[in-house]
Structures are given as C-alpha cells and as structure tokens.
Amino acid sequence: MLSSEAETIAFGAALANAIGEQGAVIYLDGDLGAGKTTLSRGLVRAFGHSGAVKSPTYTLVEPYELSDKSIYHFDLYRLSQPEELYYLGVEDYLQKPAAVCLFEWSMKGRGEIPPADLTLQLAADSCESHQHRTLAMTTCSDRGRTILQNLADTYAVLD
Ligand SMILES: Nc1ncnc2c1ncn2[C@@H]1O[C@H](COP(=O)(O)OP(=O)(O)O)[C@@H](O)[C@H]1O
Ligand SMILES: [Mg+2]
C-alpha cells in the first residue's frame, strides 16, 4: 500500500536501487491517476535525473540519457495500434539490454514491446482516502526475480 504521493515516489526510488546496473522492462498498469507517472518520476530521479519528469502522454516516449543509465519512459495511452510503435522509430530503445524501459498502458503495445521483467498494477481505492494507492507486482523472468529479491532486502514495508 502507498499512502501518499511521497510514498509512491519513494517506492520508485527503491525500485531504481533494486534494478541497479541491470536493464529492466517494467509495465505500469492501472487507471488514469493511479500513480504510474508519479512512480516513474521517483525512479527516474533516483537514477540521477534532476529535471522534470513529464508524462509522455503526447510524445509517447521520453528518453533520459543519464551518465550511467538510459531510461525510456513510454506512455502508450494514445497509441491506436501497437504497430505504430514501429513507425515511431523506437526500435533502438527497445534493443538496448542495459536500459530501463517503463511502459505505462503496456496493453496498448501488445506484440510490439519486449516482455516484462516486472508488471506493476496500481489502483486507487475509491472507498478509502483518495491518497491511498494499492500496488501489486508480478514477475516472469530471472531478471525480474532478482529485482524483487533486491527490493525485499531494502524496502521493508511490502504489505
Ligand atoms: N499514493 C499516491 N501515489 C501516487 N499518486 C498519488 C497518490 N496519492 C495521490 N496521488 C495523486 O494522484 C495523481 C496520480 O497521477 P499520475 O501519477 O499522473 O497517474 P497516472 O500516470 O497513473 O495516470 C497525482 O496527481 C498525485 O498527486
Ligand atoms: Mg501517466
């Protein structure tokens, strides 16, 4: 559970530390306003980016070439066909093994984006305080399992 925007940002930072030098493909799913961009902001900043982290809703992808990390933050909400990704020339981003690729609305890119190491499902529970978000994580790769293990070692409140 993430009780505030600050906690969501802190979780993004903990995830960045758990990823470390490896590459990772992370799907961020959940409704509009669930906190996908907020979590991404915490992650991107923890890798050393000091400027703004804008939602890539209109640009589809926002690249961050940091001193020792490349991060590609996608928001596929406005994509009408997964194949459009191919024409946007994002192939190169998706081939880089050590890059971190974040995909908001991953289902819209089905078939054209790499498989996830981690899938994060965020939800705002309307019955509770609107600050409260729930987070569920699933993994289906060795890389994802390593990241989750690192996270469990450093991030105490996974309830
Ligand atoms: N616990 C929380 N985690 C993330 N965002 C929160 C939380 N509580 C409130 N918010 C607010 O909800 C909104 C989430 O927006 P955003 O991260 O852009 O969502 P998404 O990218 O999923 O559409 C922000 O305005 C943020 O301030
Ligand atoms: Mg967003």
Side-chain angles (χ1 to χ4, degrees):
M1 194 179 94
L2 301 164
S3 316
S4 65
E5 182 176 349
E7 274 192 33
T8 302
I9 289 174
F11 181 82
L15 184 57
N17 288 331
I19 293 169
E21 292 177 5
Q22 329 170 60
V25 175
I26 299 179
Y27 291 180
L28 291 156
D29 295 329
D31 288 339
L32 277 176
K36 303 180 294 298
T37 299
T38 305
L39 196 155
S40 303
R41 185 171 294 133
L43 183 145
V44 171
R45 291 247 172 87
F47 273 119
H49 175 73
S50 51
V53 177
K54 292 173 288 176
S55 174
T57 312
Y58 293 96
T59 53
L60 284 168
V61 60
E62 202 66 59
Y64 299 92
E65 302 291 356
L66 306 176
S67 55
D68 43 25
K69 200 81 196 166
S70 296
I71 307 174
Y72 304 113
H73 179 198
F74 291 82
D75 182 341
L76 306 182
Y77 185 65
R78 299 182 67 82
L79 204 66
S80 42
Q81 305 263 338
E83 293 72 28
E84 281 174 40
L85 272 175
Y86 177 84
Y87 298 106
L88 287 164
V90 296
E91 287 292 84
D92 291 352
Y93 296 165
L94 304 180
Q95 310 290 311
K96 287 197 183 177
V100 174
C101 293
L102 304 171
F103 291 99
E104 295 190 35
W105 298 97
S106 63
M107 62 289 268
K108 297 223 176 198
R110 192 165 287 150
E112 296 288 329
I113 62 175
D117 295 304
L118 286 179
T119 298
L120 273 54
Q121 182 75 44
L122 281 150
D125 187 341
S126 54
C127 301
E128 303 274 340
S129 139
H130 69 285
Q131 292 295 303
H132 153 133
R133 300 290 188 272
T134 55
L135 169 67
M137 285 189 286
T138 49
T139 177
C140 26
S141 74
D142 289 340
R143 211 159 65 165
R145 270 186 286 277
T146 306
I147 295 167
L148 278 193
Q149 189 56 57
N150 293 344
L151 195 58
D153 293 344
T154 55
Y155 188 82
V157 227
L158 281 175
D159 58 1

